[in-house]
Amino acid sequence: MALRDAGVDGWLFYDHHGRDPLAYRILGLDAGMHVTRRWFYLVPAVGAPRKLVHRIEAGRLDSLPGSKAAYSSWPELEAMLEAMLDGSTRLAMQYSPRNAIMYVSMVDAGTVEMLRGWGKEIVSSADLVSQFEAVLTDAQISTHYAAQAKIDRVLAAGWQEMGARVRNWGADEFMMVEWLSEAMRREGLVWEHGPNVSCGANSADSHYEPTAESSRAIRRGDFVLIDIWGKLGAGPAGVEPVYYDITWTGVVGREPTERERVVFDTVRDARDAAVRAVETAYAEGRAIAGWEADDAAREVVRAAGFGEWFTHRTGHNIGPEIHGSGAHLDNLETHDVRLILPMTCFSVEPGIYFPGEFGVRNEVNMITRVGKAEVTGRVQNELVRI
């Protein structure tokens, strides 16, 4: 059904030396298996799947249904592959025109050239990958909300802890990272690196990570950014937990400056513009691509005169991995034409960064369902006073 809806004759999977991890996940293959020879697997829109494997690795696709052919020489490979694809003209592959969506661009140019030489039209499997990789179950969405409640609680307590430490015995970035990490562990959360606490000019580096050696002291008068993410360490049986990922900002021991207020308000309004774009499209039953939501946020920032300091995409897909395989909200780093599908999760996180001064990012997560899209968790509408 998915292939027919996509208007393709089949989905052609191909790998050599584990270069396409998406294929292994989607097909349910062991990602750690030893693969030194090329294999192909065709899932046709109509009919049974077909396999082509090398004779010395003939069992690599045995866990998958379908007929099997085996080759040894490259002329055999080409002849057998052409025969396997007979009757299939329009094929989806892990390919992206102009490498626009590099997250799915796994097939080498030579293989695409060979297939085109046989009259095949190769189209991107990007939206198909999203359907099989990014669409969540109700149980997975429940794990996102469980992580959201825990992380929102940890972050609120973290701001209070930071204030107490600054007023009494002192604080620094890494110290607060350690405190947040321990609080998350007590909540039963797991995560990839981080979280991040950035003070002063460090908040203008969108991927800054403090270490014990580089950590900057947090003092009265400072501007602080906290980016924190995690998921349940264990969900219900058979359920892969989904991440929750947010960023908040605040000022220590003072009121924000006028410049900080203007920048924060611009970022907040950009966030809300992207949120509205997705909410409206879903309420109207209209498809929306990732680049469109990015444009909605970016236009607000440009109109305020800060466009050159908004240096990253507006958001990313979220799943069991912090950066998932679905549509990103991006028309800057890539032109992401992937659709924001129902039952997916993603961040909305515009930012403005002034090197050497400070940076503001305001991040929320959204969940989409048929006919509805909504923000999950707490929403920051003014700078935290610490």
Side-chain angles (χ1 to χ4, degrees):
M1 178 68 76
L3 299 184
R4 290 196 296 271
D5 290 346
V8 297
D9 299 319
W11 191 348
L12 181 60
F13 293 87
Y14 155 69
D15 189 55
H16 176 235
H17 276 286
R19 68 177 60 184
D20 183 3
L22 294 172
Y24 288 82
R25 291 204 300 267
I26 292 167
L27 296 174
L29 296 171
D30 178 6
M33 77 166 69
H34 188 52
V35 175
T36 66
R37 303 299 192 274
R38 288 174 285 182
W39 61 255
F40 291 85
Y41 187 66
L42 175 66
V43 180
V46 178
R50 285 163 253 170
K51 315 171 198 178
L52 180 59
V53 294
H54 196 280
R55 285 189 176 91
I56 68 171
E57 295 182 351
R60 293 299 186 262
L61 301 183
D62 281 359
S63 63
L64 302 176
S67 60
K68 179 169 71 174
Y71 72 93
S72 291
S73 68
W74 67 262
E76 275 188 300
L77 166 66
E78 293 193 5
M80 289 180 171
L81 180 59
E82 187 173 13
M84 187 174 87
L85 300 177
D86 186 43
S88 298
T89 300
R90 196 165 192 261
L91 296 167
M93 295 189 77
Q94 270 75 282
Y95 154 81
S96 177
R98 300 172 61 87
N99 197 30
I101 304 173
M102 60 277 196
Y103 318 105
V104 298
S105 194
M106 305 291 180
V107 180
D108 61 276
T111 297
V112 172
E113 288 169 359
M114 176 176 66
L115 295 168
R116 285 176 174 164
W118 298 334
K120 308 304 180 185
E121 180 188 0
I122 308 303
V123 300
S124 179
S125 64
D127 279 327
L128 288 169
V129 169
S130 292
Q131 288 184 54
F132 286 88
E133 282 279 282
V135 171
L136 307 172
T137 64
D138 283 324
Q140 285 182 299
I141 290 174
S142 294
T143 69
H144 169 83
Y145 280 103
Q148 168 258 308
K150 293 173 181 289
I151 289 176
D152 280 352
R153 184 162 60 242
V154 167
L155 179 59
W159 289 120
Q160 293 179 347
E161 179 70 16
M162 183 186 299
R165 290 183 180 225
V166 170
R167 287 187 294 272
N168 294 289
W169 54 89
D172 63 47
E173 295 166 330
F174 189 72
M175 180 189 298
M176 289 308 306
V177 166
E178 297 239 288
W179 188 93
L180 292 167
S181 297
E182 180 55 34
M184 291 170 70
R185 279 190 284 270
R186 288 196 302 269
E187 292 282 1
L189 298 166
V190 296
W191 60 97
E192 301 171 5
H193 60 87
N196 175 38
V197 178
S198 304
C199 176
N202 290 335
S203 65
D205 179 350
S206 57
H207 275 190
Y208 172 74
E209 290 188 48
T211 65
E213 295 73 29
S214 68
S215 184
R216 172 174 171 158
I218 302 172
R219 299 186 175 92
R220 291 177 183 271
D222 279 337
F223 188 95
V224 180
L225 179 151
I226 298 179
D227 189 359
I228 184 170
W229 56 92
K231 64 179 180 179
L232 300 183
V239 177
E240 286 190 281
V242 173
Y243 272 91
Y244 178 65
D245 179 14
I246 54 171
T247 306
W248 282 47
T249 45
V251 290
V252 182
R254 64 175 173 83
E255 287 297 305
T257 67
E258 181 61 23
R259 179 175 170 80
E260 289 167 343
R261 283 195 185 93
V262 168
V263 173
F264 177 89
D265 289 352
T266 300
V267 172
R268 178 201 62 204
D269 293 349
R271 175 203 70 193
D272 291 347
V275 168
R276 280 194 306 273
V278 179
E279 287 176 338
T280 301
Y282 264 79
E284 295 175 351
R286 172 171 49 82
I288 181 170
W291 68 266
E292 295 175 274
D294 181 89
D295 273 4
R298 205 164 298 279
E299 177 55 35
V300 172
V301 176
R302 286 174 178 151
F306 299 124
E308 67 182 285
W309 293 288
F310 183 6
T311 52
H312 58 71
R313 63 193 175 201
T314 292
H316 59 83
N317 180 254
I318 296 173
E321 297 80 34
I322 186 64
H323 296 103
S325 296
H328 297 329
L329 277 56
D330 190 6
N331 198 21
L332 177 73
E333 300 174 52
T334 67
H335 179 58
D336 202 326
V337 297
R338 290 177 292 182
L339 299 179
I340 301 173
L341 299 177
M343 301 295 284
T344 60
C345 179
F346 52 92
S347 70
V348 181
E349 49 179 303
I352 297 173
Y353 309 92
F354 302 107
E357 296 184 62
F358 71 99
V360 175
R361 183 164 65 255
N362 192 315
E363 180 178 14
V364 297
N365 297 168
M366 294 189 74
I367 293 282
T368 55
R369 301 177 189 270
V370 175
K372 183 180 181 182
E374 63 184 6
V375 172
T376 68
R378 296 177 62 212
V379 177
Q380 182 180 17
N381 288 316
E382 63 178 12
L383 286 163
V384 176
R385 274 66 164 179
I386 305 157

